[in-house]
Amino acid sequence: MDIKIRTAKPEDVTWMIPELRKFAVFSQNKYNLFPEDETYIRKNFENLILNHIVLVAESFNAEGTAEGIGFIAGMYSAHAFNPAIQTLIELFWWVKEEYRKCSAGLRLLNEFDAIGEKTANWIIFTLETVSPVNEETLLKRGFKLKERNYLKEI
């Protein structure tokens, strides 16, 4: 399978939205992460694509037609306590279920990490408690477990 990683384009949001909704179910939160208003989701993700970082994994069939099979998104921000520290905060890392046995997820992570090393001082990654990703995947790339997040849904 031929897989390529590229920077997302605003038109990618169309195939991403159904995948974001699957992510919302997967993450098992009380509240839906994405409102029913698709226009709002589209606007927010287009902002991420244009002003932050969103990468897409594509698979190519025998005819050379590309299909989006996964993506990773992050947001740049100055650290709240020290604006000299530029952070890249991972927001989503998702690969379509039928493609999780291929290298798409690792390729997305590697490219995200490489970009972050050039553009930020800190790269902050979150793994959902239900994530199939082993934390060793991050640890061997130099990430350290620094804090744990707890969520209280009201």
Side-chain angles (χ1 to χ4, degrees):
M1 174 184 318
D2 187 22
I3 298 173
K4 295 208 178 359
I5 306 300
R6 64 167 172 80
T7 301
K9 299 179 267 192
E11 53 268 25
D12 288 311
V13 177
T14 300
W15 70 265
M16 288 178 173
I17 289 174
E19 295 304 315
L20 290 167
R21 295 207 186 281
K22 289 176 188 175
F23 173 81
V25 172
F26 169 83
S27 63
Q28 302 175 7
N29 293 312
K30 177 179 176 180
Y31 297 101
N32 190 343
L33 291 173
F34 304 101
E36 293 302 315
D37 181 1
E38 198 169 293
T39 304
Y40 184 82
I41 299 169
R42 183 174 299 279
K43 187 176 181 180
N44 277 335
F45 247 75
E46 287 174 356
N47 174 55
L48 284 173
I49 289 167
L50 296 173
N51 298 303
H52 298 277
I53 180 170
V54 182
L55 302 173
V56 168
E58 289 181 319
S59 172
F60 292 83
N61 64 22
E63 291 79 41
T65 304
E67 173 192 5
I69 62 172
F71 57 95
I72 192 167
M75 178 178 281
Y76 289 107
S77 175
H79 191 277
F81 302 131
N82 184 347
I85 300 172
Q86 177 72 12
T87 64
L88 174 58
I89 303 165
E90 173 265 339
L91 301 173
F92 296 100
W93 179 24
W94 184 256
V95 175
K96 290 180 178 181
E97 194 168 354
E98 62 269 27
Y99 293 98
R100 293 198 183 142
K101 298 287 185 206
C102 74
S103 65
L106 284 177
R107 289 181 187 207
L108 285 165
L109 171 61
N110 288 339
E111 185 65 18
F112 186 88
D113 190 35
I115 291 169
E117 286 185 6
K118 293 175 188 165
T119 60
N121 303 107
W122 288 4
I123 305 169
I124 301 168
F125 232 91
T126 302
L127 290 178
E128 291 277 339
T129 54
V130 294
S131 175
V133 176
N134 185 318
E135 75 172 351
E136 187 64 29
T137 302
L138 296 176
L139 295 174
K140 71 182 184 184
R141 285 169 174 76
F143 288 86
K144 295 182 267 184
L145 178 60
K146 199 70 172 147
E147 297 177 330
R148 289 197 254 176
N149 291 317
Y150 293 87
L151 174 67
K152 181 179 182 180
E153 294 188 277
I154 310 301

